[in-house]
Amino acid sequence: MAVPEVNKEMLTELESMGFPTAHAIRGLHFSGNASIEGAIDWIAEHENDPDIDQMLLVPINIEIESGKPPFALEYVKIKAQELRQKLKAEEEKRMEKEREKERRRAGKEQLQAKKILEENERKRASAWRKAEQEEVKQARERILKRLEDDKAERRRNLGLPSEDHSSKKITKHLQKQQNTKISDEHNSTTVDNLQECLRSLKQNHLDEDARVKRAFQTLLTYIANVAKNPENEKFRKIRLSNPAFMDRVGSMFGGIEFLKLCGFEKLKQNGIEYLYIPRDKVDHRILRNAALELNSALNNPYFGMFSRKKDDY
């Protein structure tokens, strides 16, 4: 067995075009050494053959015709270019499929990470609220005990008999439990409403991250000013026609609703509408919860990207 004899000039020409020697020899051999065009056509038709890259071997006694028919060099170059482009396109398709698989895998991992982050944030907020409620409860009990001790001390100083607090304490304890339960349920509902309001604002302005962040920051400023200066009316009163307010908060879906949940009410004076929170309706617990939710929304990059069911609360 030996490598078949082919037209050396045509073989050299095919090799100069970038065809491997094994491909060129097969093309010339099986096209009868008729022309370079014929060899290129054969290579293009058999490029997927399993043995295309192997050197062709034939019996030694086989005679190979080697003709030198005329051919158009420009045509040959065009066919060679088409073949190279076809091979390149197939390689690009294969690489694109691999990249798409990688993008999908990365997307799934990122989605899972987002869900875990938001769930952890929710658990931390819930734990903080429970700890705060317990702290308030203990502080209230300490104050009541101090008042009872002071009252008992005054009665002893005046020579009066001690009060029978047994039935009174039972009644107060039952009332206290009921009030605490009602307060806790109300507080939990308010926090849920605050969270949902901020989430709706974010989801209704998904392509406006800068505006959403500015709205959250502005709301946080309003809430902080009222909490720090509850006696100052200018911090408890917002003119609805104020251009800066309308641009930052009033024009954002849910912005005014969030302030209402914090205790603000609509008020009209001399034909001008305001958002106003009376001094006796300033609830520091609600304001603090509102500030916490705003901080969470500002610091959590995935806040509002997933809707939450009521069963999650």
Side-chain angles (χ1 to χ4, degrees):
M1 303 292 286
V3 177
E5 295 183 3
V6 295
N7 186 293
K8 296 187 181 302
E9 292 181 2
M10 288 191 283
L11 175 62
T12 301
E13 184 69 24
L14 287 170
E15 288 177 334
S16 69
M17 294 178 187
F19 290 101
T21 302
H23 294 196
I25 289 176
R26 284 177 178 272
L28 289 170
H29 175 75
F30 289 112
S31 64
N33 281 302
S35 65
I36 288 183
E37 296 95 320
I40 291 175
D41 289 340
W42 188 94
I43 293 171
E45 293 173 0
H46 295 81
E47 61 180 341
N48 294 321
D49 289 358
D51 58 350
I52 187 68
D53 294 321
Q54 299 177 8
M55 185 61 70
L56 178 65
L57 298 176
V58 298
I60 296 177
N61 294 330
I62 293 181
E63 295 182 0
I64 307 298
E65 296 183 1
S66 62
K68 295 183 180 180
F71 61 89
L73 182 59
E74 189 63 29
Y75 172 78
V76 172
K77 291 181 179 179
I78 291 173
K79 295 293 286 185
Q81 180 65 20
E82 289 177 352
L83 181 57
R84 285 194 291 270
Q85 289 177 349
K86 182 178 179 181
L87 294 173
K88 183 179 179 181
E90 291 179 353
E91 178 64 16
E92 289 179 351
K93 287 181 180 179
R94 187 186 69 79
M95 293 299 294
E96 180 59 30
K97 288 181 180 179
E98 292 296 325
R99 287 193 291 268
E100 180 63 23
K101 288 180 181 178
E102 179 62 22
R103 283 195 294 270
R104 290 180 180 178
R105 183 192 64 77
K108 289 180 180 179
E109 291 181 355
Q110 186 179 19
L111 183 62
Q112 185 65 24
K114 290 177 182 177
K115 290 181 178 179
I116 293 173
L117 181 62
E118 185 159 315
E119 178 64 18
N120 289 340
E121 183 67 23
R122 185 188 69 81
K123 289 180 178 178
R124 283 195 295 270
S126 177
W128 187 92
R129 286 195 300 272
K130 289 180 179 178
E132 182 191 42
Q133 291 167 4
E134 183 62 26
E135 182 180 349
V136 171
K137 177 182 177 182
Q138 292 177 358
R140 187 185 297 116
E141 290 175 351
R142 287 194 297 269
I143 292 172
L144 290 174
K145 186 176 184 306
R146 190 177 304 151
L147 291 174
E148 290 293 335
D149 291 344
D150 290 344
K151 187 176 180 181
E153 180 65 24
R154 287 196 300 271
R155 292 183 67 86
R156 284 195 298 270
N157 292 337
L158 294 173
L160 298 175
S162 300
E163 284 186 317
D164 182 9
H165 297 291
S166 57
S167 60
K168 187 176 181 181
K169 284 183 178 180
I170 293 174
T171 303
K172 282 187 175 181
H173 179 69
L174 293 174
Q175 184 64 37
K176 181 179 178 182
Q177 284 185 330
Q178 183 178 3
N179 292 339
T180 300
K181 182 178 179 181
I182 293 173
S183 175
D184 290 346
E185 289 177 353
H186 174 73
N187 185 55
S188 177
T189 301
T190 301
V191 170
D192 290 346
N193 291 338
L194 290 168
Q195 290 174 342
E196 186 59 33
C197 190
L198 293 178
R199 186 169 292 102
S200 296
L201 191 153
K202 177 71 175 287
Q203 291 175 347
N204 278 275
H205 301 277
L206 286 177
D207 298 327
E208 301 176 277
D209 288 345
R211 289 192 67 204
V212 170
K213 182 177 181 180
R214 188 178 62 171
F216 287 168
Q217 290 171 336
T218 304
L219 287 168
L220 184 58
T221 300
Y222 286 135
I223 299 305
N225 285 339
V226 174
K228 293 177 182 178
N229 307 279
E231 303 297 336
N232 194 332
E233 188 181 77
K234 77 174 185 178
F235 293 121
R236 295 185 283 107
K237 196 173 185 180
I238 305 171
R239 181 163 53 88
L240 287 174
S241 59
N242 185 311
F245 170 77
M246 289 303 299
D247 178 54
R248 291 171 174 268
V249 176
S251 61
M252 304 293 286
F253 183 90
I256 292 177
E257 180 62 28
F258 185 85
L259 290 171
K260 287 182 177 180
L261 290 171
C262 295
F264 282 86
E265 304 171 352
K266 278 194 175 183
L267 173 69
K268 193 169 185 178
Q269 289 182 342
N270 301 324
I272 301 175
E273 286 190 326
Y274 297 91
L275 280 177
Y276 177 71
I277 179 170
R279 175 62 185 90
D280 60 349
K281 291 189 177 181
V282 174
D283 189 327
H284 286 276
R285 178 182 292 188
I286 292 178
L287 295 178
R288 184 168 184 175
N289 285 334
L292 286 171
E293 295 305 325
L294 285 165
N295 273 315
S296 175
L298 285 166
N299 296 322
N300 181 1
Y302 308 119
F303 178 83
M305 298 185 70
F306 305 96
S307 60
R308 288 160 61 181
K309 302 177 181 177
K310 291 182 177 180
D311 293 342
D312 292 338
Y313 292 96

